Amino acid sequence: MWISPLNCENFDSWEILKVNELFVLQKSVAQVSLFWKTLQNVFDTKQPPFRIVFKSSQNKLGQVIAVGNTKEEIDKDWKFIIDNFMPAVEQYDDFNDKESFVLYKVGFLLSSVNEHEISDSKFRNACNVFKTLFNIPESEELLNFYSCSYDNQLMNQGWMYISRNFVCFYSFILGNETKITIPLKDVELISKISSRSGVFNNCISIVTKDKQEYVFSNLFHREQTYQLLDELTQRTMDRLLKSTSKNDHVPGLSYDDSSSYTDPSSDKNSKPIDVKDLQAQRQNAEFQQLFNLPEEEDLKCVSFAVLSISTNASIKSSGQFFLSKTFLCFYSSNKPQLYLVLPYFVIKRVEKANTTNNNIISLIITTYHKIKITFELFCTRQQVNLICSTLKNQLKGNIYKMSLSKSFISNLSSEELLVNNTISKKCLGEKYGYIKSKRTNEKAKTKYWLQYFAEYGRNLTILRTPTFTKLVRIGLPNVLRGELWEICSGSIYLRFLNQGYYQKILEKYAGRVSLSTEEIEKDLNRSLPEYKAYQTEEGINSLRRVLYAYSFHNPELGYCQSMNIVASVLLIFMTEEQVFWLLTVLCDRFLPGYYSVNMVGVIIDNQVFESLVLKYMPVISEHFKKCDIQLSIVCLPWFLSLFINTFPISLTFRVLDCFFLQGPPVLFQLGLGILKANADKLLKAKDDGEVMNIFKEYFATSEEQVMTKNMKSNILLMKFNALLLNSLRDYKGVTYDLILKMRKSHQFRVIHSIQLYKKRSDIRDLKSTHLFNNEDLSKLYDQFYTSQFYGHGESTQKTGNEKMDIYTFQVFISQIFTWGHNKKELKKYEMKKKEEEKKKLELKKSKDFGISSSPSKIITLNEPPKSGKIIEMEQKLGIKYDSKDSLIMDAGSLEDLDLIANSNLTNSTISTTTTTTTTTTTTTDSNTTKINSETKKENKDDTNTDTNTNIDTNKDTQSSVTDKNISPVSSTPSSATSSNSTSLDRNALVGFNFLDRLFKYFDKKQKGYLLFQDIVDGIGEIKFGGLMSNIDMLFHVHDTGHKGYLSREDIILVGESLLFLCRKMESDQYLNAVSDLMKEAFELEVELKEEKKKREEILKTEEKTKETTTKVDEENESSKVISSNNSSLNNSTSTDTDEVQFPLSTFRVLIMSNPFFVQYFTDFENTINMDMNITANVEGVKTEILELIWNEGVKWAKKRVQTGNSNGGSGNNNNNNNKSSSSSKSVTSKSSKANLSPTDNSGGLSPPPTLIRKNSRQDITYTFSNAEEEDDNEEADSMKKLLDNMDMTTTEENIITPPDNVNNLFNPFN
């Protein structure tokens, strides 16, 4: 990163890495005190560990012009200097000219670097630290990080890291390390709280489901942090809720479309989260909720304004003026309270009136119904220009909708009533009559509304005043009820913007069947059967079409009981299309989750209602708890059916009037009012039955007249009217905002309860639990679903979470078994999969694999007779032979040599000599298996070193290497890639092959996925099966073809799998055990072959004696008999390569003869650890690094003492040491991390035991060692970045290099 030239203060604490005429690249080696490190960590003021110094004449030590936190970052700047600065500088002779040119160029670079690039650099560093510090899935991506402190007995200032699934915290204060990992799926409550002193509101509290509270304070961006956590937790809970569903099929999805369906909610959750846009998203959501607008509406601008209307001079109120994509809105919380939603397509004219004040702009808007509304906007000139330009652009963009609005408005009931004084029969109520109620005056109500329409507008241009609210509460007239429900709920806007959608969805899914349609058919005749329309086919068909259309529109929800009741009531006052869009608003916005599969929404609202009862009526709440009365038994039907099945049907319409006007709070206010009206009787009830009888009696008499106390006198009112009046007055504090807040506080707890219920049900429904107790089954279940949760991305999350695929199985095994893959190996495998997929795509695009524009490589084969499979594989890879029988392969085919190795190429020798290319010679006979590898690399002195490693499983036979030099050819990227492969890649590949076979072994029914029952069966077999069962499991895992025996290749794979299983053992005993096992297997193979030959000879002799035909016929017949008896063996021209079968009984004897594996498989159950957690915290990183440095230092000190003693010995020893030293130098590689060179037996340390296996089946080298595994470059860089971030660099001492040339022993990355 380029910086303004800064004078250097010292060179002592900096190590020079690169230098030229004008510039110096340096690395910091300064020792920093513990206190100073703490201050740097808290205030993030640590200087970068790398810098570039310009040798300026203005300062003796030069000037710093670039800094970097990583070696890669500073190397990029250094390369830019070499490529761009140096060629231009060489043209100048005078140093002052050179200096001026460099400073000018640096200034130009600084002007092009913006703050965004600087913040990106900091973010990348934070990502590296985040992935290195915390033991979380490799797929986790950091979203943002914040400085804060963790309050736990003492203040810990550190950093909070937030990813999609985790909240992490790290601090290092005066040697004290604090590390916290909180999975978002375990969060139960997130709230903003004050500090301990109560002075500052800068704290966030996170409570998990195990009631552990984490308080983070000193958050300077608390609002942004809270919004990010809230959004992420909401997405996580949606995924959790979806995983609790057991339905494999989406309820509302037709059976014909099940394969091509993609969940839109998953796409929404998988969208990238822009932290900077969270505030805007929150504002948009609040704006849409306030005015009941569609989700697509984005807020453009807001201003303070005063509204007045031409038809009523007394109406004048101040409030907020909003402009969005499609609507102009106004809301006033002052008296009189006004509420206006004006679509742009009903605005006929906009005028700008003159004002004396430059900061006030007056806009006069004429609506479709010729009502003039005046807005006086109070804002700056800049805001005025923004509002005017936005309004102008939006009006132009909605011109095409104006032509549609005329026909749309003309079909509305209010328009027909005012213009024609008649209503067309569009709804069931107009055709079959409305349900009459006692003491209702329809004509008077209609008259009031017509007067209101004339004064304040109607339908799409209506202005809501306090009079509007009063008219709704006293009851709507039947002829206008449907339209006013649309206006209050906002569904009328959806219907206008999506004209024709309802008819299209009916035509598209005509004749389709789904789970939801089957349930709908069962409930159609039970939907309001007392109403005349639903006793006819017309009414039933109308209800069917609406419910069908909604189930296909929202297949994730589909259909739930009670939806038919609500829809049947709505159809009395509305058309089918109106009901469809009102159902959409009802299910998506007003009552989310009410009609889902697990009805989580109504459960949450029941919890909210119980909290409100406790707040407003603590005596009743305490009585219910004392008598164990479940309030949910009574309240759930109230909320689910919107009181339709509770009150008489005529009064239910009044409830819906208030509900669509004020939203969900009306349900809670009515519920509290009902409890208050029956409080005396409820306090005497002893059980649920008595409570239900009390309410039943109350609802049956709700139309009776009762004396009600008013503010001045007692008046006679209907019991329902008194209830509605008292409820809305006494509990007006129950607002929409309060309900949303309480829903969020109870939501996480309810979802965790549903998840716990599902867990208990799944465990109880297991057909076989083996010998697992409930605690172990619970842990196994948690690991199973945790792996599923983190194994699937948000975009791939499907309904239900029951099926485990192969990749998730590998993650699960890594968490449940001690020998499972670690994070590094999982990452390597994921990268390997991506490379293979990329290769497959390239192969598909190429029509002819034998033709390539890349340079060819010639490989000479000492080739055995080929089988048909090998010839087919050669043709597939484009392999050709020249006239000299030399194999010609293009670069693309060379990358797929492992495919050739998998084709049983035995008794073959492949050799090649190419720069940075690995060459392997493999020979196999009946007694021995030899793996020879020859590797050529460049060392620091630019010299090539050949290292030959020969490993023979038969100790009595010496292996040999055959090299045939061929003319050199140009190097290709593919060869470079193969030469850079590490032992980690090979170990991971062997392990994943083993886990793939284990997955198929667990999948007894070959379904292609695993259920929890399969996991319990498989793990139970390993844990409780014992020695013989584990041996049999190993046999069947490698008997992939279910042949009933293992071939020679299978036995080799068994050895590789055993090396993988034992690779984490501290001692090297398992290496000898595997070697002995392979030796015994091949010796047994020889014996079996000899016995087989004897049997064949006896068989031939018997056949010859029986044959009476000619000699030629006898030979032909004999060959037929032999081939028929060897049908299970591989076709080969040599009897030495005939396949030998190892049945289960022989395999048992083979394993049982090895004491090491007898003990290993006896204790194999101990490798299961169900307490391992994917989110478990790792130990302190600083402690690990210090211990590693200390241990390596002790080893080096011992080695130096031993070397010194050997140097003081005889001359022969000195000569041996010199030879050893020179030998070690000659084989030292530039990238080696462990000293594998031979050392003197008298003084040097012997290299760690290493086994390198290479067989004819796979052209891959597998390295297994009891030494620490090699770190790949990326992981090492991450650790280095972490060290740089913590200032853990060390200074190099000027010491004599040991004779065996130990490389960077104090470097913890080696």
Side-chain angles (χ1 to χ4, degrees):
M1 182 174 65
W2 304 102
I3 63 172
S4 299
L6 183 67
N7 291 337
C8 291
E9 296 179 357
N10 66 79
F11 258 65
D12 298 335
S13 59
W14 293 87
E15 173 191 1
I16 297 177
L17 301 180
K18 297 179 183 179
V19 64
N20 61 23
E21 178 187 357
L22 296 175
F23 302 97
V24 182
L25 174 59
Q26 297 178 326
K27 176 183 178 182
S28 174
V29 292
Q31 294 289 341
V32 184
S33 65
L34 187 62
F35 177 75
W36 187 247
K37 288 179 188 176
T38 301
L39 292 180
Q40 289 179 342
N41 181 65
V42 170
F43 297 105
D44 194 26
T45 58
K46 178 185 67 63
Q47 66 177 1
F50 298 95
R51 71 181 185 182
I52 296 177
V53 178
F54 171 57
K55 299 177 182 178
S56 173
S57 61
Q58 300 178 14
N59 186 44
K60 181 179 180 181
L61 298 178
Q63 292 179 309
V64 181
I65 61 173
V67 294
N69 290 299
T70 63
K71 186 68 164 56
E72 290 78 7
E73 185 179 347
I74 203 67
D75 282 343
K76 183 179 178 182
D77 294 338
W78 180 264
K79 186 176 184 300
F80 183 86
I81 289 175
I82 299 300
D83 296 342
N84 298 278
F85 282 17
M86 297 308 296
V89 166
E90 291 175 357
Q91 300 177 6
Y92 300 98
D93 295 331
D94 186 36
F95 182 81
N96 292 329
D97 294 338
K98 294 181 180 181
E99 182 178 12
S100 300
F101 174 80
V102 170
L103 294 177
Y104 172 79
K105 278 293 185 182
V106 171
F108 176 77
L109 289 173
L110 285 173
S111 64
S112 62
V113 176
N114 53 33
E115 295 181 359
H116 180 69
E117 293 178 355
I118 297 175
S119 63
D120 283 350
S121 175
K122 293 182 178 180
F123 187 80
R124 286 194 298 270
N125 296 332
C127 289
N128 295 329
V129 173
F130 169 69
K131 290 195 174 183
T132 310
L133 281 174
F134 304 100
N135 182 31
I136 57 175
E138 191 64 32
S139 58
E140 281 298 305
E141 295 182 0
L142 182 66
L143 296 178
N144 211 350
F145 62 102
Y146 303 94
S147 175
C148 66
S149 64
Y150 170 61
D151 292 341
N152 186 12
Q153 296 180 353
L154 72 157
M155 301 292 287
N156 288 332
Q157 188 70 27
W159 294 90
M160 175 192 289
Y161 301 90
I162 302 177
S163 68
R164 281 189 176 270
N165 296 299
F166 296 93
V167 179
C168 303
F169 174 82
Y170 180 81
S171 72
F172 182 78
I173 303 294
L174 299 177
N176 242 347
E177 185 181 53
T178 304
K179 190 184 300 184
I180 301 171
T181 303
I182 308 173
L184 289 178
K185 70 182 185 67
D186 294 339
V187 171
E188 194 168 89
L189 179 64
I190 300 178
S191 57
K192 294 181 284 188
I193 61 175
S194 301
S195 59
R196 289 180 178 178
S197 60
V199 177
F200 302 104
N201 292 323
N202 60 358
C203 299
I204 288 180
S205 171
I206 300 177
V207 181
T208 59
K209 61 183 180 182
D210 57 358
K211 307 306 177 185
Q212 177 71 35
E213 183 181 13
Y214 301 90
V215 178
F216 301 97
S217 59
N218 294 343
L219 278 162
F220 300 105
H221 303 280
R222 185 180 74 160
E223 195 61 33
Q224 186 188 81
T225 308
Y226 176 79
Q227 291 177 4
L228 178 59
L229 289 175
D230 184 51
E231 176 69 21
L232 291 173
T233 310
Q234 186 63 50
R235 293 191 181 195
T236 303
M237 291 302 149
D238 290 342
R239 292 176 59 199
L240 266 183
L241 187 61
K242 195 175 297 183
S243 69
T244 59
S245 172
K246 285 190 174 183
N247 290 339
D248 292 332
H249 191 82
V250 180
L253 187 66
S254 67
Y255 296 129
D256 300 334
D257 300 333
S258 57
S259 58
S260 59
Y261 175 72
T262 55
D263 182 11
S265 63
S266 297
D267 296 337
K268 179 181 178 181
N269 287 339
S270 62
K271 289 182 180 179
I273 298 177
D274 191 344
V275 179
K276 297 179 181 179
D277 291 342
L278 279 179
Q279 183 65 29
Q281 294 173 12
R282 181 62 61 91
Q283 289 179 353
N284 289 333
E286 293 175 353
F287 170 69
Q288 295 159 10
Q289 171 202 321
L290 178 62
F291 295 101
N292 292 329
L293 300 178
E295 291 184 357
E296 296 78 15
E297 289 304 311
D298 294 333
L299 190 59
K300 300 294 184 181
C301 54
V302 184
S303 176
F304 179 78
V306 175
L307 180 146
S308 58
I309 189 169
S310 59
T311 55
N312 191 336
S314 63
I315 296 296
K316 192 170 185 179
S317 181
S318 61
Q320 293 291 324
F321 175 86
F322 305 88
L323 291 180
S324 70
K325 179 181 177 182
T326 316
F327 299 92
L328 181 154
C329 304
F330 180 85
Y331 176 77
S332 170
S333 57
N334 302 325
K335 292 183 179 180
Q337 187 173 1
L338 303 180
Y339 184 98
L340 174 67
V341 178
L342 200 63
Y344 294 132
F345 48 81
V346 296
I347 296 177
K348 291 297 182 181
R349 188 174 182 180
V350 178
E351 301 175 84
K352 184 178 178 182
N354 295 325
T355 58
T356 57
N357 192 335
N358 292 331
N359 292 329
I360 299 177
I361 177 175
S362 181
L363 296 178
I364 303 174
I365 296 177
T366 305
T367 67
Y368 180 87
H369 295 112
K370 301 179 181 180
I371 295 178
K372 292 185 178 181
I373 303 175
T374 303
F375 294 98
E376 294 182 5
L377 306 177
F378 295 82
C379 51
T380 62
R381 178 58 57 184
Q382 183 179 2
Q383 290 176 322
V384 168
N385 295 334
L386 176 63
I387 291 173
C388 292
S389 61
T390 303
L391 185 58
K392 181 179 178 181
N393 294 334
Q394 298 305 322
L395 286 172
K396 287 182 178 180
N398 285 272
I399 291 177
Y400 74 97
K401 296 178 184 177
M402 294 181 181
S403 59
L404 301 175
S405 62
K406 186 174 182 180
S407 60
F408 181 84
I409 293 175
S410 62
N411 289 325
L412 295 175
S413 299
S414 59
E415 209 71 20
E416 291 180 349
L417 197 60
L418 282 173
V419 177
N420 303 324
N421 201 22
T422 58
I423 299 292
S424 60
K425 296 183 178 181
K426 293 175 289 187
C427 59
L428 294 179
E430 291 296 327
K431 297 178 181 179
Y432 295 93
Y434 295 104
I435 298 176
K436 295 182 179 180
S437 176
K438 298 178 181 179
R439 301 177 182 86
T440 58
N441 192 339
E442 290 293 318
K443 291 184 179 180
K445 291 180 181 179
T446 305
K447 182 180 178 181
Y448 283 131
W449 277 105
L450 292 178
Q451 292 176 357
Y452 188 89
F453 291 157
E455 188 173 357
Y456 299 105
R458 53 189 179 273
N459 46 68
L460 292 177
T461 65
I462 195 167
L463 173 66
R464 298 191 212 173
T465 65
T467 304
F468 181 92
T469 304
K470 292 178 182 179
L471 291 175
V472 172
R473 288 180 177 176
I474 65 174
L476 296 172
N478 290 330
V479 293
L480 296 174
R481 178 167 269 137
E483 179 184 324
L484 290 171
W485 282 353
E486 269 196 303
I487 295 171
C488 293
S489 65
S491 65
I492 192 172
Y493 310 122
L494 283 175
R495 185 162 67 90
F496 176 84
L497 296 174
N498 298 276
Q499 295 182 53
Y501 175 81
Y502 173 74
Q503 195 62 36
K504 289 179 181 178
I505 203 170
L506 286 177
E507 294 173 358
K508 179 179 179 181
Y509 292 98
R512 302 285 184 91
V513 180
S514 67
L515 289 174
S516 294
T517 59
E518 294 173 356
E519 294 297 322
I520 290 171
E521 290 297 330
K522 298 176 184 178
D523 294 338
L524 283 176
N525 294 321
R526 293 181 286 187
S527 307
L528 211 64
E530 64 271 20
Y531 184 58
K532 290 184 296 184
Y534 299 115
Q535 298 171 8
T536 65
E537 283 297 322
E538 182 183 5
I540 294 296
N541 289 335
S542 181
L543 180 60
R544 177 187 287 113
R545 286 191 293 270
V546 170
L547 295 177
Y548 271 34
Y550 184 78
S551 69
F552 290 126
H553 166 73
N554 187 1
E556 281 292 322
L557 189 148
Y559 168 79
C560 178
Q561 285 186 348
S562 294
M563 286 179 67
N564 60 317
I565 303 296
V566 175
S568 62
V569 171
L570 299 181
L571 278 171
I572 298 176
F573 305 97
M574 309 173 78
T575 64
E576 293 180 19
E577 187 177 10
Q578 287 177 310
V579 173
F580 171 79
W581 289 112
L582 189 55
L583 269 180
T584 302
V585 172
L586 185 70
C587 297
D588 294 348
R589 188 184 304 155
F590 285 164
L591 306 174
Y594 263 52
Y595 306 108
S596 61
V597 177
N598 28 40
M599 297 166 56
V600 62
V602 72
I603 298 175
I604 292 172
D605 277 1
N606 179 72
Q607 297 288 325
V608 171
F609 184 67
E610 290 183 356
S611 300
L612 292 174
V613 172
L614 178 62
K615 177 181 179 181
Y616 288 99
M617 305 173 191
V619 178
I620 293 179
S621 177
E622 186 64 28
H623 176 72
F624 282 175
K625 289 182 180 179
K626 182 179 179 181
C627 298
D628 195 21
I629 297 174
Q630 300 296 324
L631 189 58
S632 59
I633 297 177
V634 180
C635 299
L636 280 177
W638 295 355
F639 297 125
L640 202 57
S641 64
L642 305 181
F643 290 96
I644 291 176
N645 289 334
T646 305
F647 290 106
I649 189 64
S650 59
L651 298 181
T652 299
F653 305 148
R654 300 274 306 279
V655 175
L656 294 178
D657 293 343
C658 296
F659 173 77
F660 288 123
L661 174 67
Q662 296 179 246
V666 171
L667 302 179
F668 299 94
Q669 291 170 339
L670 276 177
L672 293 171
I674 293 170
L675 292 179
K676 182 179 180 181
N678 297 275
D680 296 336
K681 296 180 181 179
L682 292 174
L683 291 175
K684 298 176 182 179
K686 300 299 181 183
D687 53 35
D688 297 329
E690 292 185 34
V691 172
M692 296 184 71
N693 289 331
I694 292 171
F695 288 131
K696 185 176 181 181
E697 180 183 355
Y698 176 78
F699 293 133
T701 59
S702 56
E703 291 184 312
E704 295 179 358
Q705 298 289 324
V706 294
M707 190 64 66
T708 305
K709 292 182 180 181
N710 198 2
M711 296 179 62
K712 297 181 180 179
S713 61
N714 295 335
I715 58 175
L716 191 65
L717 289 176
M718 185 192 302
K719 186 183 291 187
F720 176 81
N721 289 336
L723 170 66
L724 193 60
L725 179 65
N726 294 331
S727 299
L728 298 177
R729 182 186 59 200
D730 296 342
Y731 305 108
K732 60 182 178 182
V734 182
T735 61
Y736 204 165
D737 291 337
L738 176 64
I739 295 302
L740 292 177
K741 183 178 180 181
M742 296 185 70
R743 278 177 175 175
K744 190 169 294 184
S745 65
H746 289 281
Q747 178 186 14
F748 304 151
R749 191 179 300 111
V750 169
I751 293 176
H752 289 143
S753 300
I754 295 175
Q755 193 179 24
L756 180 61
Y757 174 78
K758 180 178 180 293
K759 173 181 176 179
R760 292 173 178 172
S761 300
D762 290 346
I763 293 177
R764 186 173 57 250
D765 294 341
L766 287 173
K767 297 178 181 179
S768 173
T769 60
H770 291 268
L771 297 177
F772 284 113
N773 55 34
N774 288 334
E775 183 180 358
D776 289 341
L777 286 173
S778 177
K779 293 178 181 178
L780 196 61
Y781 185 93
D782 290 340
Q783 290 291 353
F784 178 82
Y785 280 97
T786 299
S787 301
Q788 287 282 81
F789 187 82
Y790 295 117
H792 290 294
E794 293 182 6
S795 59
T796 59
Q797 193 79 13
K798 297 180 179 179
T799 302
N801 206 17
E802 308 288 328
K803 300 176 182 179
M804 175 178 282
D805 58 18
I806 177 61
Y807 176 74
T808 312
F809 177 73
Q810 291 158 358
V811 176
F812 170 75
I813 290 295
S814 69
Q815 301 304 316
I816 209 76
F817 285 97
T818 57
W819 44 263
H821 287 296
N822 54 33
K823 248 174 53 172
K824 194 186 307 178
E825 292 171 328
L826 289 171
K827 181 180 179 182
K828 283 291 181 183
Y829 176 70
E830 191 174 350
M831 295 172 61
K832 189 78 175 177
K833 279 204 311 181
K834 291 180 180 178
E835 292 177 2
E836 291 176 355
E837 291 175 359
K838 186 177 179 181
K839 289 180 182 178
K840 289 180 181 178
L841 291 175
E842 292 176 354
L843 289 175
K844 286 181 179 179
K845 292 179 181 178
S846 177
K847 296 181 179 179
D848 187 1
F849 297 101
I851 301 175
S852 175
S853 60
S854 59
S856 299
K857 294 193 175 189
I858 301 178
I859 300 178
T860 302
L861 274 177
N862 296 334
E863 188 179 9
K866 300 178 186 176
S867 64
K869 184 176 181 181
I870 299 206
I871 295 175
E872 180 182 356
M873 187 65 66
E874 290 176 349
Q875 293 175 351
K876 180 179 179 181
L877 292 175
I879 301 174
K880 300 180 181 180
Y881 292 86
D882 59 12
S883 58
K884 297 181 182 180
D885 293 330
S886 294
L887 176 63
I888 301 177
M889 296 181 64
D890 56 63
S893 299
L894 187 62
E895 293 176 355
D896 294 324
L897 267 176
D898 55 334
L899 296 177
I900 303 178
N902 288 330
S903 302
N904 297 329
L905 287 175
T906 56
N907 295 329
S908 64
T909 303
I910 301 177
S911 60
T912 183
T913 304
T914 307
T915 307
T916 68
T917 302
T918 303
T919 306
T920 305
T921 302
T922 305
T923 59
T924 307
D925 56 36
S926 59
N927 297 321
T928 63
T929 300
K930 303 176 181 180
I931 299 95
N932 311 310
S933 65
E934 178 184 3
T935 306
K936 291 191 175 184
K937 295 182 179 179
E938 294 181 0
N939 59 11
K940 294 181 180 180
D941 299 327
D942 296 328
T943 60
N944 295 335
T945 304
D946 297 342
T947 304
N948 298 330
T949 306
N950 305 323
I951 296 179
D952 194 343
T953 56
N954 188 350
K955 297 179 181 178
D956 299 331
T957 307
Q958 298 296 328
S959 63
S960 61
V961 178
T962 305
D963 295 341
K964 295 184 178 181
N965 295 329
I966 307 171
S967 59
V969 292
S970 61
S971 176
T972 62
S974 61
S975 63
T977 302
S978 62
S979 65
N980 291 332
S981 60
T982 63
S983 62
L984 181 60
D985 297 319
R986 300 158 191 149
N987 294 345
L989 184 58
V990 173
F992 285 113
N993 289 336
F994 170 74
L995 292 181
D996 182 60
R997 292 189 289 269
L998 185 63
F999 177 85
K1000 295 175 181 177
Y1001 175 72
F1002 279 19
D1003 184 14
K1004 306 290 185 184
K1005 298 181 180 179
Q1006 299 180 354
K1007 304 181 295 294
Y1009 57 85
L1010 298 180
L1011 301 176
F1012 182 59
Q1013 180 68 66
D1014 300 325
I1015 293 294
V1016 172
D1017 293 339
I1019 303 297
E1021 184 178 338
I1022 295 175
K1023 186 172 181 63
F1024 305 109
L1027 172 63
M1028 298 307 296
S1029 176
N1030 291 330
I1031 295 175
D1032 293 352
M1033 182 270 297
L1034 185 65
F1035 175 88
H1036 293 300
V1037 163
H1038 292 84
D1039 181 19
T1040 53
H1042 303 287
K1043 307 180 294 294
Y1045 64 88
L1046 298 183
S1047 63
R1048 175 189 178 89
E1049 294 295 325
D1050 294 333
I1051 291 295
I1052 294 176
L1053 290 177
V1054 170
E1056 294 176 348
S1057 298
L1058 290 173
L1059 288 171
F1060 166 74
L1061 293 173
C1062 303
R1063 74 192 187 285
K1064 294 184 179 180
M1065 290 186 174
E1066 295 181 358
S1067 65
D1068 59 350
Q1069 185 180 0
Y1070 72 95
L1071 297 174
N1072 297 328
V1074 174
S1075 179
D1076 293 341
L1077 182 67
M1078 293 294 101
K1079 177 181 176 182
E1080 292 176 7
F1082 296 137
E1083 289 176 352
L1084 181 60
E1085 180 187 15
V1086 175
E1087 295 177 2
L1088 293 175
K1089 284 185 178 181
E1090 291 178 354
E1091 292 179 1
K1092 188 175 181 180
K1093 287 181 181 179
K1094 291 180 181 179
R1095 289 196 303 270
E1096 290 176 355
E1097 291 175 358
I1098 294 173
L1099 184 61
K1100 288 179 181 180
T1101 304
E1102 292 177 354
E1103 289 295 332
K1104 287 180 180 180
T1105 57
K1106 291 180 181 180
E1107 292 295 334
T1108 56
T1109 58
T1110 62
K1111 185 176 182 180
V1112 176
D1113 294 336
E1114 289 177 358
E1115 293 175 356
N1116 292 337
E1117 189 68 16
S1118 175
S1119 63
K1120 290 180 181 179
V1121 173
I1122 293 174
S1123 62
S1124 63
N1125 282 278
N1126 294 331
S1127 59
S1128 63
L1129 303 176
N1130 287 337
N1131 294 330
S1132 177
T1133 58
S1134 174
T1135 58
D1136 290 341
T1137 60
D1138 288 346
E1139 184 176 305
V1140 176
Q1141 302 175 359
F1142 292 86
L1144 178 58
S1145 57
T1146 305
F1147 184 76
R1148 287 174 177 171
V1149 173
L1150 190 63
I1151 297 294
M1152 294 290 287
S1153 62
N1154 193 310
F1156 175 84
F1157 288 115
V1158 170
Q1159 185 63 39
Y1160 180 77
F1161 285 110
T1162 301
D1163 301 333
F1164 193 60
E1165 62 181 85
N1166 296 331
T1167 61
I1168 300 175
N1169 183 6
M1170 285 180 288
D1171 292 327
M1172 296 172 67
N1173 193 349
I1174 197 169
T1175 62
N1177 290 334
V1178 295
E1179 296 179 3
V1181 177
K1182 292 177 73 73
T1183 306
E1184 290 180 354
I1185 295 174
L1186 290 173
E1187 289 179 354
L1188 184 58
I1189 294 175
W1190 174 260
N1191 293 336
E1192 294 294 344
V1194 171
K1195 290 180 183 178
W1196 179 85
K1198 290 181 179 179
K1199 201 167 186 180
R1200 184 180 181 191
V1201 171
Q1202 293 173 351
T1203 305
N1205 293 336
S1206 63
N1207 288 337
S1210 62
N1212 293 333
N1213 288 339
N1214 289 332
N1215 293 335
N1216 291 337
N1217 285 334
N1218 293 333
K1219 292 178 181 178
S1220 175
S1221 176
S1222 62
S1223 175
S1224 66
K1225 290 179 180 179
S1226 65
V1227 300
T1228 300
S1229 173
K1230 181 171 62 175
S1231 61
S1232 63
K1233 295 191 177 188
N1235 185 22
L1236 301 179
S1237 60
T1239 55
D1240 195 301
N1241 294 333
S1242 62
L1245 292 175
S1246 60
T1250 304
L1251 171 63
I1252 303 177
R1253 295 196 52 82
K1254 206 162 196 179
N1255 54 57
S1256 60
R1257 186 177 184 275
Q1258 292 181 340
D1259 189 21
I1260 300 175
T1261 302
Y1262 302 100
T1263 304
F1264 300 89
S1265 172
N1266 65 336
E1268 184 179 358
E1269 289 182 334
E1270 288 185 323
D1271 286 333
D1272 60 299
N1273 294 333
E1274 186 175 351
E1275 294 295 332
D1277 290 341
S1278 297
M1279 286 298 296
K1280 287 180 180 179
K1281 293 171 187 176
L1282 174 61
L1283 268 184
D1284 295 334
N1285 194 50
M1286 293 183 175
D1287 269 347
M1288 287 295 297
T1289 53
T1290 57
T1291 57
E1292 290 187 357
E1293 299 179 6
N1294 296 324
I1295 52 178
I1296 301 174
T1297 304
D1300 55 354
N1301 193 17
V1302 179
N1303 294 317
N1304 297 328
L1305 204 51
F1306 281 99
N1307 189 347
F1309 308 113
N1310 291 330

